[in-house]
Amino acid sequence: MSNKNNYNYLLSDLTKLKGVGPKTANLLKKKRINNIFDLLWKLPKSYTDRSASSKIKDLRIGENQTVTIVPYKYNFPRIRNLPNKVFCKDETGNLDCIFFNSYEGYVKKILPIGKEITISGKVSYFGNKYQITNPKYISEDSTIIKTKHNQYSLTEGITEKIYNNIIKQIIKDLPNLKEWHSKKILEKFDNVSWNEAINELHKPENIGKFKSSFYKRLAFDEIFSSFLVHSEIRKKIKKIKKIEKTINLKEQNNLISKLEFDLTKDQKKTLLEINKDLESSTKMFRLLQGDVGSGKTIVALIAALNVINSDFQVAVMTPTEILARQHFSLAKKIFKSSINIKLLSSKSEYKEKKEIINDLSNKKINLVFGTHAIFQNKIKFKKLGLIIIDEQHKFGVNQRKKLSDKGGDNCDILLMSATPIPRTLTMTIYGDMDLSIIKEKPKLRKNVTTYSKLETKIDEILRFIKKEINFGNQVFWVCPLIDESKKIDHSSAIKKFEYLNKIFPNQVALLHGKTEQDEKETILGKFLNKRYKILVSTTIIEVGIDFPNANVIIIENANKFGLSQLHQLRGRVGRGNKQSTCILMFKSSLTENAKKRLNILKNSNDGFKISEEDMKLRGFGDILGFKQSGLKTFKLADPIHNSDLFILAEKEIKRIEKEDENIGKFKTLMKLYDQADIINDIV
Ligand code: ADP
Ligand code: MG
């Protein structure tokens, strides 16, 4: 059987390998190693250089070494738990081999008296003599173990020896894949072929050579393939023909003129981009990205108005009901009463829900707000023309693709995210979409002043908020969930509520994941009406809600949050034109790293910059809660150290798109890297 030019070998089941039975395969699968290709990225952490075999007198204690000795005497004690010993020597000294739990016959067989044997293992020194306990490699033929030997981080139940054997086997049988990159790209990596690169990657002496051409080539393959999949999805969506919408500019400008503010330059620019998409005959699949408080909602609602005026329905989906309700109220306020707007809440009466469902199917409703519930199967729109998804950075590319299929061909899609991401990650995370970015914040907006305080100084904080409340301002007090895995764990919020309520009687409200919906609405309504001055809550207030009168946010246990999340939380205040304050509370004095992180927040209100820094400090897997999105974590590529490769890959993708190059030659690459099977229906 030849694997020579076939990538299928790499995608085959692990049991295809010699020495890998179902048991070992299952152990590997638990480590998300599902096929032979996955095993290629199981890289050695270090290696033992057995090629340099020492004399006994030169052995270094505590290290793995190889030495050629001659056994001259056995000691097999008849007492349980005492080890078997073999006394050995060379011309420079003595060494004992110690065997626990071993059979006499076995020891005699591998270390026969008087024969020259090469052994390998960790050297210790005991009772004036060198020792090797349970020597690993024992051979009469010293050349066999005088090789360099990789050490892998072990998966339970799989020894290093097994890893070495299977990886060796794979490398030996590696198919010769046809080159997919252009000459120009390949030159940047010293023309290292894929096959060569893999070979180099696994050589013991190449461990950690992140800057080498072979390493970079493979990292580039990984980045490029991911971008390519995104690009293909985008192209595919762009091929969908739809009925063009006609923008009623008069109606649009009429609404804009009635707003309490002028749109910012970026709001106007993004609205133009969206309108252009709506008017075109290809389906829109666009992300409106802008920092917290940059004013995305109004842009989306104006787009919604344009779609409704074009005789289509619009659905707006939010992650929480509170946010849906707030958008709903805003729409009610700014849209003409001739536009029928509804909120589909999970807590609505059965009769009301039924009516909404009915009116969506006969197009009596023009605009509907709700959580993911608005996409239940039983809900059918008569003529859906736009889906708006707010605050959905946690959607992965798979979910987005499903979404774009929803609503049918005539339905445009607009996603919104307040989560700025580092520049190098744009294609990684949002490469399947077109981007509209709001950078500039509304004019009168002031930066949120940020402080840190030890928990023990709560009295100072209380004095401060008393003062703010006297000025007529309102305060958010955020308590983290004690146990992230249990979303219902909100005891810290309850405790804090009780504590604050004693100090500020009848002025404090409490909100957490278990608060009943009706109560939640009542509480938020009262907070908006300034009936309450302080709102204690868990992080459920994190996304999107707008309280212009609140200008102080206290965040307890701030070290529990990432920088970007803190920035998001902080964005709950400072939306009006007042000076706002964010106080980050800490349990104990801060580590150097924590101080660094804090300073970034104190010194910047720019979400894009904060996300860059967050990534530098914490690595990219951790930033922004993208973990939940099923976002691919790269095997080799690193967005910080390989930022040049990310940019190169983006350039190359753009070139391919521009020149409409056939991507057939990348089929192998995509098949190998795309675990999500997204491309199956594309290539
Ligand atoms: P986000 O982008 O975080 O979703 P919002 O759309 O909720 O931000 O807007 C935040 C606040 O800014 C709202 O109170 C909104 O009315 C206000 N706002 C939006 N655009 C402007 C503007 N151009 N000038 C002043 N205030 C604005
Ligand atoms: Mg928002």
Side-chain angles (χ1 to χ4, degrees):
M1 167 203 58
S2 155
N3 311 314
K4 274 306 160 208
N5 300 307
N6 196 339
Y7 64 85
N8 280 330
Y9 167 74
L10 293 169
L11 295 179
S12 28
D13 197 80
L14 295 165
T15 49
K16 191 167 178 175
L17 296 163
K18 265 179 238 126
V20 179
K23 212 174 124 200
T24 307
N26 277 333
L27 289 170
L28 287 166
K29 273 179 190 156
K30 276 192 198 139
K31 292 273 167 193
R32 291 165 173 249
I33 297 176
N34 292 312
N35 57 28
I36 295 177
F37 184 73
D38 291 341
L39 260 174
L40 288 177
W41 316 107
K42 171 102 190 158
L43 295 183
K45 296 265 179 264
S46 61
Y47 72 94
T48 327
D49 191 350
R50 293 200 171 87
S51 53
S53 118
S54 304
K55 293 292 171 203
I56 289 176
K57 79 167 175 33
D58 299 326
L59 288 174
R60 294 178 306 275
I61 294 156
E63 288 178 30
N64 275 311
Q65 282 163 90
T66 303
V67 59
T68 303
I69 42 82
V70 180
Y72 65 90
K73 194 176 137 195
Y74 298 124
N75 177 6
F76 298 127
R78 302 289 155 206
I79 306 162
R80 258 172 59 124
N81 293 335
L82 278 187
N84 290 327
K85 271 189 199 170
V86 183
F87 301 104
C88 311
K89 62 179 178 192
D90 70 1
E91 66 275 18
T92 69
N94 291 319
L95 178 141
D96 297 350
C97 288
I98 315 289
F99 292 87
F100 286 93
N101 306 319
S102 57
Y103 294 106
E104 223 178 281
Y106 169 75
V107 173
K108 279 181 173 164
K109 193 171 151 224
I110 57 172
L111 289 176
I113 300 286
K115 280 257 165 72
E116 203 167 76
I117 306 286
T118 306
I119 60 169
S120 177
K122 192 165 169 180
V123 177
S124 58
Y125 197 72
F126 187 77
N128 259 338
K129 260 200 280 180
Y130 290 101
Q131 280 191 352
I132 292 184
T133 303
N134 294 336
K136 269 191 205 148
Y137 282 75
I138 303 181
S139 169
E140 278 188 70
D141 175 2
S142 65
T143 58
I144 291 180
I145 51 172
K146 280 184 182 176
T147 55
K148 291 176 181 176
H149 169 81
N150 279 332
Q151 291 185 326
Y152 293 88
S153 61
L154 294 182
T155 301
E156 203 179 330
I158 303 181
T159 63
E160 217 172 275
K161 204 165 165 181
I162 295 178
Y163 271 124
N164 269 293
N165 281 339
I166 51 185
I167 305 272
K168 237 184 242 163
Q169 203 184 130
I170 297 172
I171 302 288
K172 189 170 87 17
D173 290 342
L174 218 53
N176 252 322
L177 303 177
K178 198 163 166 235
E179 184 57 58
W180 40 76
H181 287 306
S182 69
K183 262 197 177 137
K184 235 177 161 174
I185 289 290
L186 215 54
E187 263 169 25
K188 300 201 190 267
F189 306 107
D190 296 332
N191 298 312
V192 181
S193 72
W194 182 83
N195 194 302
E196 280 169 329
I198 295 284
N199 265 294
E200 291 300 314
L201 186 69
H202 282 272
K203 280 187 186 157
E205 62 269 31
N206 282 343
I207 292 171
K209 287 197 180 157
F210 307 124
K211 297 221 153 95
S212 54
S213 305
F214 67 82
Y215 199 97
K216 282 190 166 176
R217 189 234 141 98
L218 293 170
F220 182 78
D221 276 347
E222 196 180 12
I223 301 163
F224 179 77
S225 67
S226 138
F227 288 11
L228 199 58
V229 170
H230 284 174
S231 156
E232 283 308 294
I233 294 174
R234 214 176 79 203
K235 270 197 231 156
K236 199 185 170 202
I237 292 171
K238 291 214 149 183
K239 277 195 189 122
I240 300 172
K241 290 282 166 236
K242 70 160 203 256
I243 302 175
E244 296 147 31
K245 277 131 196 155
T246 33
I247 309 279
N248 186 331
L249 274 181
K250 206 176 135 216
E251 289 282 335
Q252 173 188 294
N253 294 340
N254 190 24
L255 183 139
I256 293 174
S257 69
K258 283 190 183 141
L259 295 174
E260 294 159 0
F261 46 75
D262 293 331
L263 293 183
T264 64
K265 213 169 75 229
D266 281 354
Q267 281 174 319
K268 286 182 195 158
K269 183 197 76 181
T270 50
L271 182 60
L272 269 178
E273 289 165 354
I274 294 166
N275 278 346
K276 208 172 149 215
D277 280 1
L278 295 174
E279 286 178 307
S280 90
S281 60
T282 49
K283 187 176 173 125
M284 170 167 80
F285 196 46
R286 185 171 285 278
L287 177 76
L288 178 57
Q289 201 190 10
D291 209 347
V292 274
S294 59
K296 296 180 292 294
T297 319
I298 190 66
V299 174
L301 287 184
I302 297 169
L305 176 81
N306 288 336
V307 172
I308 292 164
N309 283 335
S310 202
D311 201 32
F312 282 93
Q313 293 169 292
V314 176
V316 181
M317 182 178 114
T318 56
T320 58
E321 291 227 4
I322 307 175
L323 191 54
R325 189 167 293 269
Q326 192 159 54
H327 290 349
F328 168 70
S329 309
L330 178 62
K332 285 284 244 193
K333 200 174 105 188
I334 62 172
F335 286 176
K336 283 184 181 162
S337 56
S338 58
I339 295 175
N340 188 5
I341 310 170
K342 282 281 177 320
L343 174 76
L344 186 71
S345 160
S346 59
K347 295 289 181 342
S348 315
E349 296 277 318
Y350 175 75
K351 212 181 119 214
E352 195 194 337
K353 260 190 221 165
K354 222 177 137 185
E355 208 177 299
I356 292 178
I357 293 174
N358 193 43
D359 288 350
L360 284 169
S361 69
N362 62 26
K363 201 167 153 286
K364 266 194 194 149
I365 294 174
N366 308 107
L367 175 58
V368 67
F369 292 87
T371 60
H372 59 278
I374 58 175
F375 292 125
Q376 299 164 71
N377 283 336
K378 63 178 174 196
I379 294 181
K380 304 263 186 292
F381 292 83
K382 176 96 188 274
K383 202 180 167 193
L384 190 58
L386 174 64
I387 296 175
I388 296 171
I389 315 267
D390 193 12
E391 297 292 357
Q392 273 306 359
H393 61 278
K394 282 172 187 164
F395 266 21
V397 66
N398 272 327
Q399 284 161 297
R400 287 201 295 263
K401 187 162 175 295
K402 272 197 198 120
L403 185 76
S404 86
D405 297 338
K406 208 119 199 172
D409 287 357
N410 285 321
C411 184
D412 290 306
I413 313 270
L414 179 66
L415 285 102
M416 292 195 270
S417 166
T419 312
I421 49 160
R423 172 69 192 85
T424 43
L425 289 182
T426 309
M427 275 288 272
T428 310
I429 298 173
Y430 297 128
D432 53 333
M433 290 183 286
D434 290 316
L435 275 191
S436 285
I437 302 178
I438 304 182
K439 278 241 161 83
E440 160 202 41
K441 292 200 181 156
K443 271 198 202 88
L444 296 170
R445 199 62 55 76
K446 292 192 180 68
N447 283 344
V448 181
T449 313
T450 304
Y451 303 102
S452 55
K453 274 270 174 250
L454 270 177
E455 212 177 54
T456 47
K457 302 207 170 148
I458 192 162
D459 285 345
E460 287 175 31
I461 298 174
L462 293 175
R463 270 202 299 279
F464 175 75
I465 62 177
K466 238 176 223 165
K467 207 176 73 197
E468 289 292 326
I469 290 172
N470 284 339
F471 282 135
N473 298 327
Q474 288 173 292
V475 178
F476 284 112
W477 194 298
V478 182
C479 303
L481 295 163
I482 290 167
D483 183 352
E484 280 290 337
S485 63
K486 281 189 243 141
K487 288 287 180 202
I488 50 163
D489 189 355
H490 37 250
S491 57
S492 64
I494 296 173
K495 275 200 200 116
K496 192 55 58 168
F497 165 75
E498 285 165 354
Y499 172 83
L500 290 169
N501 200 38
K502 278 193 195 125
I503 306 170
F504 302 92
N506 296 318
Q507 302 191 67
V508 190
L510 170 67
L511 210 63
H512 54 63
K514 264 222 163 154
T515 314
E516 284 295 331
Q517 180 60 23
D518 295 350
E519 205 189 335
K520 208 183 259 174
E521 306 297 346
T522 317
I523 290 170
L524 283 171
K526 284 186 177 172
F527 189 65
L528 262 174
N529 293 332
K530 306 174 198 175
R531 162 67 189 77
Y532 294 117
K533 304 297 191 230
I534 302 173
L535 182 64
V536 177
S537 79
T538 53
T539 51
I540 57 166
I541 58 153
E542 184 184 347
V543 273
I545 313 168
D546 196 20
F547 294 92
N549 193 54
N551 73 332
V552 178
I553 185 163
I554 317 286
I555 304 171
E556 281 195 43
N557 254 352
N559 48 310
K560 281 217 164 184
F561 302 100
L563 276 189
S564 296
Q565 202 186 359
L566 288 173
H567 177 67
Q568 293 269 314
L569 283 168
R570 178 169 71 171
R572 292 311 107 216
V573 301
R575 295 187 155 217
N577 296 328
K578 293 178 190 178
Q579 177 57 57
S580 314
T581 309
C582 168
I583 299 175
L584 305 170
M585 285 175 78
F586 293 90
K587 271 199 186 318
S588 56
S589 39
L590 298 171
T591 62
E592 278 313 305
N593 194 33
K595 276 184 199 154
K596 242 193 221 162
R597 302 198 322 135
L598 207 67
N599 278 333
I600 295 166
L601 270 186
K602 284 183 184 169
N603 297 333
S604 176
N605 267 262
D606 176 348
F608 284 95
K609 194 171 156 201
I610 288 167
S611 72
E612 292 283 344
E613 299 294 334
D614 202 12
M615 178 168 84
K616 278 184 207 150
L617 286 174
R618 296 207 304 167
F620 113 104
D622 253 0
I623 55 162
L624 329 165
F626 272 103
K627 259 185 191 160
Q628 294 104 305
S629 72
L631 173 76
K632 225 159 117 169
T633 39
F634 292 105
K635 290 167 172 113
L636 299 187
D638 179 305
I640 301 161
H641 297 113
N642 301 125
S643 60
D644 55 330
L645 299 181
F646 281 77
I647 289 163
L648 180 65
E650 188 173 337
K651 256 198 194 150
E652 179 67 356
I653 293 287
K654 294 253 161 81
R655 184 193 64 76
I656 290 169
E657 280 181 6
K658 208 170 137 214
E659 295 172 14
D660 201 14
E661 196 172 294
N662 188 318
I663 61 146
K665 59 184 171 198
F666 299 117
K667 185 175 160 183
T668 302
L669 178 71
M670 288 164 85
K671 286 269 181 206
L672 290 178
Y673 278 97
D674 181 40
Q675 314 270 315
D677 274 344
I678 295 178
I679 53 150
N680 270 348
D681 50 337
I682 295 174
V683 183

